[in-house]
Amino acid sequence: MRVLVLADIHANLAALEAVLGAAGEVDSVWCLGDTVGYGPQPNECVALMRERQQAMLVGNHDLGCLGSISLSNFNRDARIANEWNGSQLTEDNREFLLSLSPMQQVNDTVTLAHGSPRDPVWEYLLDTVGATYSFDHFSTPICFVGHTHQPVIFTADMLGDHCTATIPTDNLVLKLQPDKRYIINPGGVGQPRDGDARSGWAIYDDEQQTVTFHRTTYNIRRTQTLMLEHGLPNILAARLSFGM
């Protein structure tokens, strides 16, 4: 089974469509949350994910847009964007997002979490210290996470010890080892933050036992134009050009 694993779409329809097109035919789509927030097309992104996904999480920006967590937890620009995103969501899409969890075990092998298994809403897994603690909070060999908008592979032994971090490059193929456990971030679709403006995503192949990382170019100007037309903060539009 080939699974498209993606995260942090952030209402960026141009990026989402480019990723879905580049991925081609897949057997399943897993979305790790933050489908809305920041960007200009929240309803379109939620509708497309509802059509394509087999597993989907809610992220902190989704929850902020829904009013389920306080917008005081976000910086000024994110608050403005999330308030606008929340005001645009249809009632049907709001109810759908409200039905989602920030963490889900999809099978005996894979767990999904938006932030981390230890704190699926808020924790950013940026180093091996945080990752080491997180291995104690899920039981499957693999956990896919999002939230940081940065691709990374955390690898540990079966006890969750001796954790190492690897930054995957475009087209890197990770061969999963049966004596290892993994926390894997595929990168951000709608707002990458690793200095590469291309959308980040991954394909998990459970038969080949591989995770392949990809970067895809999309029409950034299209998204930026819509953001400015809707009065969203200039800095949020500008940063898309730099992957920051």
Side-chain angles (χ1 to χ4, degrees):
M1 183 173 73
R2 294 179 74 251
V3 181
L4 169 60
V5 186
L6 45 76
D8 301 294
I9 297 163
H10 282 300
N12 189 338
L13 183 64
L16 177 57
E17 289 177 335
V19 167
L20 291 172
E25 186 174 347
V26 295
D27 300 299
S28 192
V29 177
W30 297 344
C31 177
L32 305 176
D34 277 0
T35 303
V36 300
Y38 286 130
Q41 294 180 281
N43 283 306
E44 293 86 343
C45 289
V46 173
L48 188 51
M49 277 294 89
R50 291 179 69 176
E51 176 186 332
R52 296 295 302 274
Q53 59 84 29
Q54 281 71 45
M56 186 166 173
L57 305 180
V58 68
N60 60 307
H61 282 264
D62 300 324
L63 293 169
C65 294
L66 294 167
S68 297
I69 58 177
S70 174
L71 288 176
S72 66
N73 294 307
F74 299 87
N75 64 48
R76 174 184 175 276
D77 295 318
R79 284 199 302 273
I80 292 170
N82 286 348
E83 286 174 354
W84 182 85
N85 269 249
S87 72
Q88 300 301 304
L89 286 172
T90 66
E91 190 59 35
D92 190 39
N93 283 336
R94 289 180 62 87
E95 290 180 3
F96 172 73
L97 290 173
L98 284 167
S99 73
L100 303 177
S101 168
M103 185 169 174
Q104 177 184 349
Q105 183 174 329
V106 292
N107 54 41
D108 291 340
T109 303
V110 178
T111 299
L112 310 178
H114 174 65
S116 79
R118 182 170 63 165
D119 182 350
V121 174
W122 284 113
E123 185 175 16
Y124 291 86
L125 287 184
L126 295 168
D127 55 43
T128 56
V129 175
T132 297
Y133 286 116
S134 280
F135 277 106
D136 291 333
H137 293 268
F138 69 102
S139 59
T140 57
I142 306 166
C143 181
F144 287 105
V145 299
H147 193 45
T148 68
H149 306 203
Q150 299 177 14
V152 67
I153 304 161
F154 295 108
T155 306
D157 61 25
M158 294 305 290
L159 296 177
D161 297 327
H162 309 293
C163 181
T164 61
T166 303
I167 307 301
T169 55
D170 188 17
N171 294 316
L172 175 84
V173 179
L174 169 68
K175 180 64 176 178
L176 300 167
Q177 302 300 318
D179 60 341
K180 302 292 184 183
R181 297 179 69 206
Y182 301 89
I183 298 175
I184 298 171
N185 191 321
V189 169
Q191 195 187 80
R193 291 183 185 166
D194 61 346
D196 186 338
R198 297 175 298 170
S199 296
W201 51 283
I203 293 289
Y204 166 58
D205 190 320
D206 65 352
E207 293 182 4
Q208 299 297 320
Q209 281 297 289
T210 58
V211 177
T212 305
F213 295 82
H214 296 281
R215 303 304 288 251
T216 296
T217 301
Y218 71 95
N219 189 342
I220 294 175
R221 182 61 60 87
R222 170 184 154 192
T223 299
Q224 291 171 324
T225 298
L226 287 172
M227 291 176 74
L228 298 178
E229 286 179 354
H230 291 307
L232 297 172
N234 289 358
I235 190 172
L236 296 182
R239 70 190 300 181
L240 295 178
S241 295
F242 305 100
M244 301 296 289

